[in-house]
Amino acid sequence: MFIALILTFTIMSISTTTQFFSHLNPNQRFAVEHFCGPLLVVAGAGSGKTSTLTYRIANLILQHRVNPENILAVTFTNKAAREMKERVQNLFSEQLALLDYGEKLNFLPEYEKTKIKSRVWHNYIKEMWIGTFHSLFARVLRFDIEKYQDEQGRKWNRNFSIFDESDSQTLVKEIVSKKLNLDDKKFDSRSVRYAISNAKNQGFSPGELELECNDYKGRVIAQVYSHYQDKLAENNALDFDDLILLPARLFQQNEQVLGYWHQKFHHVLVDEYQDTNRTQYQLIQQLVTNGERKKSNRNWNQRSVFVVGDADQSVYSFRMADFTILLEFQRDFGDGLADEYTSTMVKLEENYRSSENILQAANGLIENNTQRIDKILKATKGSGESICCHTADDEVAEAQFVINQIRTLENQNPELDWVSFAILYRTNAQSRPFEDILVRLGIPYTVVGSLKFYDRKEIKDVLAYLRFIVNPSDMVSLLRIINTPRRGIGKTTINNLVNAAHELKKPLWEVLVDEISVNNLAGRASKSIKNFVQMVINWRREIDILSVSKLVKQILESSGYIDSLKDHGTDEAENRLQNVRELFNAVLQFEEENEEVSLENFLASTALNSNLDDLKEGDSAISLMTLHASKGLEFPIVFVIGLEQGLFPNYRSMNDPMALEEERRLCYVGITRAQDRLYLSHAKERRLYGYREPALRSQFLNELPEDLLVTQFCKSQKDTKNTFLPKSSDISNYASMPCWKVGNKVLHRTFGMGEITHVFGGGDKISLAVKFDYLGQKIVNPLQLQQVN
């Protein structure tokens, strides 16, 4: 069927290629038409990279007759994967509508549109591998994990569970506090878990981590890591990091497995390449080259690696993302030639999102970074409104100004709704004064990145039921549900059963299904345990008989979970009941939207959910979020707040040039979220840790082109002289100031004696980091200092 459709499309595509690419700019078209070999697409913010990726996939299939099942496309979020599939489907459906009916798809009757889309789905989209690293390589492991064992002989089978962060944290805490009896203050379980995750993202096994560590704490963490892997294997479970690490290790171990997947995926596409970590890079390198290290020996016949990214938007180093992987693409895969001569790199610099003034500000800021590939965003829209800058008395006045501006703009512009506005900040704590005002005024808002649906207790309880009936080796899920809701099975009984399972080296479930063992170990609770076991057995029999939704409904009812919530009769219980019902709605939606419906696939989709996937399109509410959470989003009007030294950029970046460059990239991301209007604000003082401190405006504001920044229409009642330039009297003071140097002793009228540790900027834009005798290091204005001989 695929060949027949390709021949059908080819008849049309030969004559309509020009029309097919008509809306692409020259560089986009170059990227789309690239066929074999490596290509790095440096895609600036708002430059149409999603369209470029979509049309490239379509071009591979239509022009080069690549089978969809030979294409692997990696996206950063599940939401982006769904969007890409929909775009490819719509593109092909539009072409088929023109070919079969001579009409655009939207002009056809609903029945015909559905028929065309279904045809495209079954013959193209269904066969393509499009998803996140975690979802795609979880699929690979479902095929081949049984061919893998780690350096300690640990093994897993195909029905493995995927533990979320809470499950992983529970295991680590148990190992730290109970198994190894470590000091909780020295070995905080969350810090230990983070260290293990970092090790996996760098590709280290427990043994390799121990060799890397040259101190006692590091070696103990490596020991915890080893026990943690034991527990995961015992539960036939993987954590998120394993979904990347294990395939990379498997490919290293088994040339046949690597060869199979190398032969399957002829064309590999990676979006947001600047956000990959070293283990993810290793996977791509293995798949593309079949493990061949020498560039001269690689065969690019009918093969390609196509990566899209922007080093200027790399802001996830705390997740072990390494933007130098993108910078090294030309060395690792490409021809390595200079930008003007290379054939393995193309830049997308035309921006379709923001006005010219916003882009000039973004360009002016990011040019201060050294670790980047040079590019200049070019506007396709007009110059737009000037960028508004505001100086507030404090964080409350700042919030009042922002909300007043939003209310005024929303009232004066009928085309704007609350969803048109976003307030971006460096830390979550900055949202509090804004939320106070919004609640008081009754203005709808959403805090993006707050507690996620799938993190709520009642949802995790139900998912534990589902995970356990799929994978009876999953003891973590079993322990969560065995007495939830309460069945009279106490902790002592459970501990006896768990200890027996450990002694016998059996999964806990095998002990529970043995009636004689339960009678002897559980005493009065044996009847409750037997009833629970029989329920699980009944559900497991239904897995292949009932639909996922019917099975979930049966579990919710027969487990007693729904009734227990109803019996509580409290508002909290009612809210939890509504959440459980919403989970059931999610199951129904999953069944409607997916061809391959199984309980296993549904659980994988919930486990791989991300913060960005939780933001619902079209919700009429102001968006409040951190700058990190804003990446990938866009809004007509954006407020970037708290632009103060020590806050943004943060204090930790002051002594680290690389960290300061990442802070600048984060500011660049915030600026380029704005389509039409951009507001920047900072406060003269801010309450920190219970007392007020004077605040100095961010150096990033000094790095923006001054002619783009205006303060008119930005005056509040409390602050009527909003300007970032010093007063004339202050300018003369600057001219007469001494030459500030690191090591100078200074006196501050409030903070007392101190010593200069850093000097930022120069002339009338100088600021100083001073370590005060009693207050520690602070960033201050030199006008507040007196030099001491």
Side-chain angles (χ1 to χ4, degrees):
M1 186 63 181
F2 165 70
I3 298 298
L5 274 176
I6 283 297
L7 292 174
T8 301
F9 269 132
T10 301
I11 296 170
M12 179 184 66
S13 61
I14 292 172
S15 61
T16 60
T17 299
T18 302
Q19 181 182 356
F20 188 66
F21 296 130
S22 61
H23 67 291
L24 299 177
N25 65 47
N27 283 10
Q28 286 176 328
R29 182 161 180 171
F30 177 88
V32 166
E33 292 185 313
H34 174 79
F35 182 31
C36 295
L39 187 69
L40 166 62
V41 181
V42 180
S47 62
K49 69 182 180 66
T50 304
S51 292
T52 303
L53 282 162
T54 302
Y55 274 85
R56 170 164 175 75
I57 291 172
N59 193 60
L60 287 173
I61 295 170
L62 297 182
Q63 299 295 326
H64 300 289
R65 303 186 184 184
V66 174
N67 195 313
E69 67 179 17
N70 298 137
I71 296 173
L72 178 77
V74 186
T75 62
F76 190 61
T77 66
N78 293 313
K79 181 181 178 182
R82 290 193 297 270
E83 181 182 349
M84 189 176 294
K85 287 179 183 178
E86 289 171 4
R87 287 199 182 198
V88 175
Q89 183 180 17
N90 290 336
L91 186 62
F92 280 25
S93 298
E94 194 67 57
Q95 297 291 307
L96 267 182
L98 289 172
L99 183 65
D100 289 355
Y101 298 94
E103 293 277 3
K104 288 189 174 181
L105 186 68
N106 285 340
F107 294 160
L108 297 179
E110 285 299 321
Y111 170 75
E112 297 297 341
K113 282 198 288 189
T114 301
K115 189 166 71 171
I116 287 176
K117 285 192 171 185
S118 177
R119 185 177 169 196
V120 167
W121 173 269
H122 284 285
N123 291 285
Y124 293 98
I125 313 304
K126 184 180 177 182
E127 300 303 319
M128 274 188 275
W129 284 53
I130 300 178
T132 63
F133 272 104
H134 294 90
S135 63
L136 291 171
F137 287 96
R139 286 181 68 184
V140 169
L141 290 174
R142 294 290 181 196
F143 285 96
D144 285 328
I145 195 170
E146 290 172 357
K147 298 170 186 171
Y148 170 77
Q149 68 174 17
D150 70 9
E151 75 283 357
Q152 293 298 317
R154 305 180 188 96
K155 301 194 74 173
W156 289 260
N157 59 51
R158 293 182 184 181
N159 67 333
F160 58 83
S161 294
I162 303 172
F163 278 9
D164 65 15
E165 190 54 38
S166 175
D167 299 322
S168 299
Q169 184 64 49
T170 298
L171 281 185
V172 171
K173 188 173 183 179
E174 180 184 322
I175 293 165
V176 168
S177 60
K178 295 181 180 179
K179 188 172 187 66
L180 299 181
N181 203 23
L182 298 172
D183 184 342
D184 287 343
K185 293 182 180 178
K186 291 183 180 178
F187 295 95
D188 173 67
S189 60
R190 290 188 179 276
S191 299
V192 173
R193 167 70 189 117
Y194 183 72
I196 292 171
S197 180
N198 283 351
K200 289 187 177 186
N201 285 323
Q202 295 177 77
F204 293 140
S205 68
E208 290 165 341
L209 178 63
E210 187 170 11
L211 291 175
E212 285 285 316
C213 296
N214 52 16
D215 62 343
Y216 168 74
K217 186 173 183 179
R219 290 191 293 271
V220 172
I221 289 174
Q223 187 181 3
V224 176
Y225 180 9
S226 182
H227 286 296
Y228 174 66
Q229 291 304 106
D230 288 341
K231 284 287 186 182
L232 287 175
E234 186 180 313
N235 284 276
N236 190 34
L238 305 177
D239 65 19
F240 274 19
D241 302 316
D242 287 326
L243 299 178
I244 309 300
L245 180 60
L246 263 63
R249 292 266 168 169
L250 172 60
F251 289 165
Q252 284 179 327
Q253 274 185 13
N254 195 313
E255 292 182 2
Q256 287 184 324
V257 172
L258 174 57
Y260 170 82
W261 294 105
H262 172 72
Q263 288 301 318
K264 179 174 179 59
F265 298 126
H266 300 172
H267 297 275
V268 176
L269 301 87
V270 186
D271 192 13
E272 304 287 5
Y273 193 63
Q274 78 281 346
D275 292 327
T276 54
N277 62 41
R278 283 291 160 183
T279 313
Q280 291 167 337
Y281 162 76
Q282 183 182 355
L283 275 174
I284 295 301
Q285 193 269 344
Q286 289 170 320
L287 280 178
V288 168
T289 68
N290 201 25
E292 177 56 62
R293 296 270 179 193
K294 292 186 66 176
K295 286 172 67 174
S296 58
N297 292 343
R298 294 173 186 169
N299 180 8
W300 292 109
N301 182 39
Q302 303 296 308
R303 306 191 67 86
S304 70
V305 57
F306 182 94
V307 304
V308 182
D310 180 10
D312 291 340
Q313 297 185 74
S314 177
V315 294
Y316 291 123
S317 64
F318 64 94
R319 295 180 184 168
M320 301 308 293
D322 186 351
F323 73 97
T324 63
I325 291 170
L326 182 144
L327 299 180
E328 294 164 357
F329 180 89
Q330 288 285 67
R331 183 199 70 188
D332 295 343
F333 296 103
D335 56 27
L337 299 177
D339 293 4
E340 59 268 33
Y341 302 114
T342 181
S343 63
T344 56
M345 181 175 73
V346 63
K347 299 177 184 178
L348 305 185
E349 297 174 295
E350 291 187 44
N351 178 284
Y352 299 93
R353 174 189 299 157
S354 305
S355 66
E356 185 177 358
N357 285 341
I358 292 170
L359 294 182
Q360 286 186 16
N363 289 331
L365 175 73
I366 204 63
E367 284 172 358
N368 290 277
N369 271 11
T370 58
Q371 298 245 328
R372 61 189 297 263
I373 296 173
D374 287 337
K375 71 176 188 313
I376 297 177
L377 294 178
K378 303 165 187 173
T380 57
K381 300 166 68 172
S383 58
E385 301 285 341
S386 296
I387 297 168
C388 177
C389 298
H390 179 71
T391 305
D393 286 341
D394 55 29
E395 73 277 6
V396 176
E398 181 182 47
Q400 289 172 340
F401 163 75
V402 170
I403 304 306
N404 285 338
Q405 288 295 309
I406 290 175
R407 294 175 75 192
T408 300
L409 289 167
E410 198 266 346
N411 286 329
Q412 293 177 351
N413 299 274
E415 73 277 9
L416 296 178
D417 199 351
W418 298 126
V419 75
S420 305
F421 301 93
I423 302 171
L424 312 182
Y425 37 78
R426 182 62 182 84
T427 66
N428 276 308
Q430 290 171 262
S431 73
R432 195 268 308 162
F434 293 87
E435 292 190 65
D436 286 350
I437 295 173
L438 291 168
V439 169
R440 190 165 64 246
L441 295 175
I443 297 175
Y445 73 93
T446 180
V447 181
V448 179
S450 61
L451 188 63
K452 292 167 32 178
F453 179 77
Y454 290 101
D455 286 340
R456 295 168 187 168
K457 178 189 180 301
E458 59 276 11
I459 302 304
K460 292 176 73 66
D461 288 343
V462 177
L463 292 179
Y465 273 101
L466 303 182
R467 285 187 349 201
F468 179 69
I469 67 171
V470 169
N471 174 21
S473 298
D474 183 352
M475 190 168 74
V476 171
S477 293
L478 174 55
L479 291 176
R480 186 178 187 109
I481 66 174
I482 192 170
N483 199 41
T484 304
R486 298 191 179 208
R487 300 185 174 91
I489 306 173
K491 288 185 178 180
T492 302
T493 299
I494 292 172
N495 288 338
N496 290 339
L497 293 164
V498 169
N499 291 336
H502 281 310
E503 288 291 324
L504 297 171
K505 296 183 179 179
K506 287 183 177 182
L508 178 57
W509 176 245
E510 289 188 19
V511 175
L512 295 183
V513 296
D514 182 351
E515 286 193 24
I516 296 175
S517 298
V518 169
N519 287 335
N520 287 308
L521 291 169
R524 288 180 296 177
S526 60
K527 183 177 180 181
S528 297
I529 291 174
K530 290 173 189 175
N531 290 338
F532 170 76
V533 167
Q534 190 56 53
M535 272 196 309
V536 174
I537 291 172
N538 292 340
W539 295 332
R540 283 183 55 77
R541 287 173 182 158
E542 303 287 353
I543 287 179
D544 297 323
I545 300 172
L546 297 178
S547 66
V548 178
S549 57
K550 288 182 179 177
L551 180 61
V552 171
K553 186 177 182 181
Q554 185 183 109
I555 292 170
L556 289 173
E557 293 175 352
S558 60
S559 66
Y561 200 91
I562 291 284
D563 289 338
S564 75
L565 290 175
K566 289 179 179 178
D567 291 343
H568 276 80
T570 63
D571 290 340
E572 181 184 359
E574 179 60 30
N575 289 333
R576 290 187 172 185
L577 183 59
Q578 291 175 3
N579 288 333
V580 170
R581 287 170 174 162
E582 185 57 31
L583 178 62
F584 181 69
N585 292 339
V587 175
L588 292 173
Q589 184 178 340
F590 181 82
E591 289 179 330
E592 292 170 359
E593 295 180 351
N594 290 272
E595 291 288 322
E596 297 178 15
V597 178
S598 69
L599 184 54
E600 206 172 70
N601 288 343
F602 173 71
L603 289 171
S605 73
T606 62
L608 298 169
N609 208 24
S610 70
N611 282 340
L612 286 180
D613 298 328
D614 287 341
L615 185 63
K616 295 181 180 178
E617 297 180 5
D619 282 359
S620 185
I622 297 171
S623 294
L624 279 66
M625 68 188 82
T626 63
L627 286 139
H628 283 101
S630 74
K631 190 170 178 297
L633 304 176
E634 59 185 44
F635 302 89
I637 301 173
V638 168
F639 294 80
V640 181
I641 66 164
L643 279 154
E644 299 145 30
Q645 289 292 95
L647 181 58
F648 191 29
N650 64 20
Y651 278 118
R652 292 189 301 276
S653 66
M654 293 298 159
N655 299 319
D656 185 344
M658 291 290 289
L660 184 60
E661 291 209 354
E662 177 151 337
E663 290 287 292
R664 187 177 287 111
R665 291 195 295 268
L666 192 57
C667 189
Y668 174 84
V669 165
I671 289 172
T672 55
R673 299 311 93 196
Q675 296 170 310
D676 303 318
R677 291 196 183 203
L678 174 65
Y679 291 77
L680 308 173
S681 69
H682 73 102
K684 295 177 183 176
E685 63 177 29
R686 189 172 292 272
R687 190 188 301 276
L688 296 173
Y689 308 113
Y691 57 90
R692 292 206 166 274
E693 283 192 6
L696 190 67
R697 80 190 206 131
S698 171
Q699 67 185 84
F700 297 154
L701 291 171
N702 297 335
E703 295 169 359
L704 299 175
E706 288 186 14
D707 60 321
L708 298 177
L709 309 181
V710 297
T711 57
Q712 61 263 35
F713 311 117
C714 300
K715 296 178 181 178
S716 68
Q717 293 178 345
K718 291 182 68 178
D719 189 8
T720 58
K721 294 182 179 179
N722 297 315
T723 175
F724 287 134
L725 296 175
K727 300 177 209 174
S728 58
S729 60
D730 290 340
I731 293 174
S732 61
N733 288 340
Y734 273 111
S736 62
M737 276 185 180
C739 179
W740 301 107
K741 293 182 180 179
V742 173
N744 284 167
K745 298 291 185 181
V746 293
L747 176 66
H748 188 280
R749 57 177 177 260
T750 304
F751 301 151
M753 293 294 297
E755 180 180 321
I756 297 174
T757 60
H758 296 79
V759 179
F760 303 105
D764 62 356
K765 294 181 178 179
I766 195 170
S767 58
L768 305 174
V770 179
K771 186 176 182 180
F772 292 100
D773 292 346
Y774 299 105
L775 291 175
Q777 191 178 56
K778 297 185 182 300
I779 310 296
V780 298
N781 189 320
L783 291 174
Q784 300 169 322
L785 299 176
Q786 178 182 339
Q787 200 167 82
V788 178
N789 293 329

